[in-house]
């Protein structure tokens, strides 16, 4: 897809790529200019980094995993929890030495953290070796920003873009060649009271369905077997678009594309999860039988304080319907432990819900106070020690459930996408089921990236062991 986008000086994206390549030809230290791109945070950031890498690639860069040899270093940051931010600050601090050793290296930061005023200010004041900072809604501006920073050597900060346009045609360099992300929308309008994302990602914007469908078609044609549609709340896809296509309609259109592939999506918000969506999954050819439906807390009192706009009962209703329509459905969820004001009784309701639903796996987080969000000012009752005790209790309950769910699959034959060699076992490959469960089995690595049938022979907690079923 070629971009028609030009900037205010009427310079096209492609022209910037050539200009950057010319400047880098003199700055590079190896045969070709090398970029080191490190991504923190969620899949949305991974997808953004793939676009940034696409632009760097078109500007003549190759990529390195060794930060020491890079001519351009970029960290794409995440602000969702304090721990994530601390890690970034620590790692950025460590770049000071690299800049001292190699003064020609350019250091840039982008992503969610940079959209917070106090963070950008701190980078500005305390990290003078960072030359370029840009926010989440100015990816399309990256070639211009990089070029100008290289050319004039002046520090550049660009953030807080509230532009409502969606810019298409940015080149992409995907990390994988058979599993890939496909963003269908950006931003979030939900303002859950604990969450920084709406402040750092801006208002919800959907990509046009024809652009999404075309990108899916291109991915399938070039061999992608697992495509994950991305958005902070995919269920509200299309809201701001002219003809208001809904998410189920988009899924049905993509599902019509011929080929052997799985279609996934993340994340669904329970408040907008409709029976139509469940029916669409049940009746589709390619949509994987996996639903990631974060419920965050099992207590209605806490859900209300979180501004989640559904109740425990509504959540369980949709789960019940989903299980009836799709008996082999694999359910996963996100949970926050220790939200301000949460008591042990509230937490017990979360445990009860987990026991009732029997999730395949959970992403569990201890509440982290985010400056500027409503929850940051809510009074707390539990101590940090209590919260970590609850957290351990939650992990233990879930471990038992996951083990039971996996044990139930022993003896079945599962279609698996073969993903990689095991990192610690010789001759063993790892794959994933449609429900996103990891399966280990012995086979030759030449089958990585293909679908195979695996007979499940053993379950070890949440990992399955199996044998390749020969055709
Ligand atoms: N849009 C997605 C999730 C985005 S953030 C959704 O609504 O489900 C991913 C997860 O991080 C959230 O589901 C939540 O469980 C967790 N999270 C977000 N803010 C948090 C905070 N302040 N403290 C702890 N966990 C948080
Ligand atoms: Fe955050 Fe809620 Fe938006 Fe998810 S839906 S990104 S949790 S505000
Ligand atoms: Fe983090 Fe931004 Fe994603 S805050 S979780 S990278 S949307």
């Amino acid at each position: 897809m070629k971009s028609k986008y030009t900037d205010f000086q009427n310079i096209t994206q492609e022209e910037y790529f050539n200009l950057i390549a010319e400047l880098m030809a003199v700055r590079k230290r190896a045969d070709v200019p090398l970029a080191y791109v490190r991504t923190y945070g969620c899949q949305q950031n991974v997808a953004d980094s793939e676009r940034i890498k696409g632009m760097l690639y078109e500007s003549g860069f190759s990529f390195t995993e060794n930060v020491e040899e890079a001519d351009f270093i970029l960290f794409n940051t995440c602000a969702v929890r304090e721990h994530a931010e601390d890690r970034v600050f620590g790692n950025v601090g460590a770049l000071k030495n690299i800049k001292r050793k190699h003064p020609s290296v350019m250091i840039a930061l982008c992503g969610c953290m940079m959209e917070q005023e106090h963070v950008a200010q701190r980078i500005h004041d305390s990290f003078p070796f960072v030359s370029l900072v840009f926010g989440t809604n100015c990816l399309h501006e990256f070639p211009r920003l990089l070029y100008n920073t290289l050319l004039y050597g002046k520090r550049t900060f660009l953030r807080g873009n509230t532009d409502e346009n969606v810019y298409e045609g940015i080149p992409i360099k995907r990390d994988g060649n058979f599993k890939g992300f496909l963003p269908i929308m950006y931003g979030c309008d939900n303002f859950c009271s604990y969450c920084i994302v709406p402040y750092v990602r801006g208002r919800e914007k959907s990509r046009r369905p024809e652009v999404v469908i075309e990108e899916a078609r291109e991915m399938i044609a070039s061999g992608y077997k697992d495509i994950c549609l991305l958005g902070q709340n995919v269920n509200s896809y299309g809201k701001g678009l002219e003809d208001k296509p809904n998410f189920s309609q988009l899924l049905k259109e993509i599902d019509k594309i011929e080929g052997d592939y799985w279609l996934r999506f993340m994340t669904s918000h329970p408040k907008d999860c409709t029976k139509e969506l469940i029916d669409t999954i049940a009746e589709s050819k390619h949509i994987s039988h996996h639903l990631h439906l974060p419920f965050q807390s099992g207590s209605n009192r806490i859900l209300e304080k979180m501004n989640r706009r559904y109740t425990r009962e509504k959540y369980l209703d949709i789960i019940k319907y989903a299980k009836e329509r799709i008996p082999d459905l694999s359910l996963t969820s996100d949970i926050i432990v220790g939200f301000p004001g949460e008591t042990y009784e509230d937490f017990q309701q979360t445990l009860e819900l987990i026991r009732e639903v029997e999730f395949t796996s959970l992403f569990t987080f201890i509440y982290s106070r985010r400056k500027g969000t409503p929850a940051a000012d809510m009074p707390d009752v539990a101590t940090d020690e209590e919260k970590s005790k609850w957290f351990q209790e939650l992990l233990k309950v879930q471990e038992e459930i996951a083990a039971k769910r996996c044990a139930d699959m022993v003896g079945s034959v599962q279609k698996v996408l073969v993903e990689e060699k095991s990192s610690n076992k010789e001759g063993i490959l790892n794959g994933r089921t449609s429900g996103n469960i990891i399966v280990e089995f012995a086979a030759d690595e030449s089958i990585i990236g293909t679908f195979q049938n695996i007979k499940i022979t053993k379950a070890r907690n949440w990992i399955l062991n199996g044998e390749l079923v020969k055709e």
Side-chain angles (χ1 to χ4, degrees):
M1 261 189 283
K2 284 273 178 270
S3 163
K4 288 172 201 63
Y5 152 74
T6 57
D7 77 350
F8 55 87
Q9 291 168 308
N10 219 17
I11 302 180
T12 63
Q13 192 176 240
E14 283 74 21
E15 282 162 343
Y16 272 120
F17 297 153
N18 293 332
L19 291 167
I20 295 167
E22 280 172 27
L23 290 183
M24 286 312 299
V26 241
R27 267 179 98 113
K28 65 182 179 17
R29 286 184 284 145
D31 292 347
V32 286
L34 293 175
Y36 172 93
V37 177
R38 177 162 183 180
T39 309
Y40 300 80
C42 69
Q43 292 85 351
Q44 187 61 62
N45 257 17
V46 174
D48 284 353
S49 288
E50 291 180 337
R51 279 168 171 73
I52 293 169
K53 284 187 213 164
M55 293 187 269
L56 287 168
Y57 184 73
E58 293 295 325
S59 308
F61 279 89
S62 287
F63 299 92
T64 175
E65 298 287 306
N66 177 2
V67 69
E68 290 279 349
E69 62 177 18
D71 299 298
F72 177 69
I73 300 173
L74 175 81
F75 286 180
N76 187 3
T77 63
C78 168
V80 80
R81 280 169 293 275
E82 195 176 351
H83 177 66
E85 289 200 342
D86 290 345
R87 262 180 53 216
V88 170
F89 276 121
N91 294 335
V92 174
L95 295 179
K96 189 175 175 181
N97 276 334
I98 290 185
K99 179 75 181 175
R100 193 179 293 139
K101 266 198 263 171
H102 312 292
S104 69
V105 61
M106 179 179 285
I107 299 175
L109 302 175
C110 69
C112 297
M113 264 174 88
M114 299 307 127
E115 288 290 353
Q116 299 175 99
E117 179 74 45
H118 67 279
V119 172
Q121 192 64 49
R122 183 168 161 196
I123 297 292
H124 184 272
D125 298 345
S126 312
F127 300 83
F129 51 88
V130 174
S131 305
L132 170 61
V133 165
F134 58 99
T136 52
N137 280 317
C138 16
L139 278 200
H140 61 289
E141 296 260 39
F142 173 64
R144 177 175 74 83
L145 297 172
L146 177 58
Y147 175 65
N148 283 326
T149 318
L150 285 168
L151 186 65
Y152 300 115
K154 260 184 35 199
R155 298 180 84 195
T156 309
F157 284 67
L158 185 73
R159 29 181 301 279
N161 182 5
T162 52
D163 187 343
E164 285 174 10
N165 294 324
V166 173
Y167 291 91
E168 297 295 353
I170 299 177
I172 310 171
K173 193 159 181 8
R174 289 199 161 84
D175 292 343
N177 52 13
F178 56 89
K179 267 183 95 160
F181 296 123
L182 200 180
I184 63 168
M185 58 203 295
Y186 306 101
C188 179
D189 285 350
N190 289 315
F191 291 94
C192 302
S193 65
Y194 49 81
C195 184
I196 196 76
V197 172
Y199 305 89
V200 295
R201 283 266 164 196
R203 296 293 57 75
E204 200 173 280
K205 297 189 265 195
S206 295
R207 296 178 77 190
R208 297 274 331 148
E210 59 278 10
V211 184
V212 175
I213 295 163
E214 187 49 35
E215 197 169 319
R217 203 185 299 284
E218 283 171 13
M219 289 175 80
I220 293 159
S222 56
Y224 280 85
K225 299 274 184 282
D226 185 313
I227 297 173
C228 183
L229 308 181
L230 289 184
Q232 295 299 346
N233 175 10
V234 290
N235 297 343
S236 63
Y237 172 79
K239 223 171 51 183
L241 294 176
E242 232 168 74
D243 32 359
K244 306 224 174 331
N246 74 23
F247 182 52
S248 297
Q249 285 162 343
L250 179 73
L251 281 173
K252 282 179 194 151
E253 285 306 313
I254 301 178
D255 190 48
K256 284 182 197 159
I257 304 172
E258 297 284 327
D260 195 11
Y261 63 92
W262 281 337
L263 196 57
R264 303 179 186 279
F265 51 87
M266 278 187 99
T267 295
S268 287
H269 193 304
K271 84 176 162 62
D272 306 309
C273 187
T274 56
K275 290 192 171 161
E276 185 194 5
L277 175 67
I278 306 294
D279 293 340
T280 305
I281 304 175
E283 289 154 19
S284 79
K285 196 165 164 208
H286 301 100
I287 305 174
S288 66
H289 285 185
H290 173 207
L291 184 61
H292 181 63
L293 197 62
F295 72 91
Q296 314 293 358
S297 167
S299 152
N300 282 338
R301 199 178 71 83
I302 297 298
L303 284 173
E304 203 180 330
K305 286 186 186 223
M306 287 178 161
N307 191 30
R308 288 290 287 180
R309 285 174 281 168
Y310 54 84
T311 58
R312 170 196 180 90
E313 291 73 25
K314 163 146 196 253
Y315 185 85
L316 288 170
D317 257 7
I318 194 84
I319 295 284
K320 182 162 172 270
Y321 184 73
K323 283 182 172 174
E324 277 164 19
R325 288 291 272 125
I326 314 161
D328 66 343
L329 183 67
S330 164
L331 287 155
T332 57
S333 189
D334 293 351
I335 294 171
I336 296 177
V337 174
F339 182 82
E342 182 172 342
T343 62
Y344 191 62
E345 285 66 44
D346 293 312
F347 171 69
Q348 283 299 321
Q349 292 184 40
T350 296
L351 285 188
E352 256 173 52
L353 196 146
I354 293 170
R355 288 199 179 97
E356 183 165 344
V357 177
E358 298 197 315
F359 294 95
T360 321
S361 61
L362 292 176
F363 299 89
T364 46
F365 310 102
I366 293 193
Y367 170 73
S368 170
R369 190 178 160 276
R370 302 285 68 205
K371 192 171 170 182
T373 61
D377 301 321
M378 293 181 189
D380 216 349
V381 287
T383 62
D384 287 354
E385 289 71 36
E386 281 171 315
K387 289 181 186 183
S388 27
K389 251 172 73 190
W390 302 354
F391 190 74
Q392 294 307 326
E393 196 175 338
L394 175 66
L395 295 187
K396 206 162 154 276
V397 171
Q398 178 54 29
E399 233 169 69
E400 284 163 21
I401 296 168
K404 174 171 169 276
R405 283 205 55 111
C406 285
D408 287 347
M409 293 171 79
V410 173
S412 68
V413 173
Q414 300 284 327
K415 182 175 175 180
V416 161
L417 179 59
V418 187
E419 292 190 348
E420 58 192 2
K421 284 201 287 183
S422 159
S423 58
N424 53 3
K425 288 179 207 133
E426 197 56 31
I428 298 292
L429 303 181
N430 292 344
R432 266 174 208 269
T433 67
S434 158
N436 223 19
I437 303 174
I438 301 173
V439 185
E440 291 183 347
F441 53 95
D444 186 80
E445 61 187 88
S446 59
I447 61 167
I448 289 176
T450 63
F451 285 115
Q452 299 291 337
N453 286 325
I454 307 288
K455 174 144 198 211
I456 307 302
T457 50
K458 206 167 98 189
R460 289 181 297 119
N461 296 329
W462 55 89
I463 296 178
L464 300 170
N465 287 93
E467 283 163 8
L468 192 64
V469 178
K470 298 263 161 36
E471 300 287 298

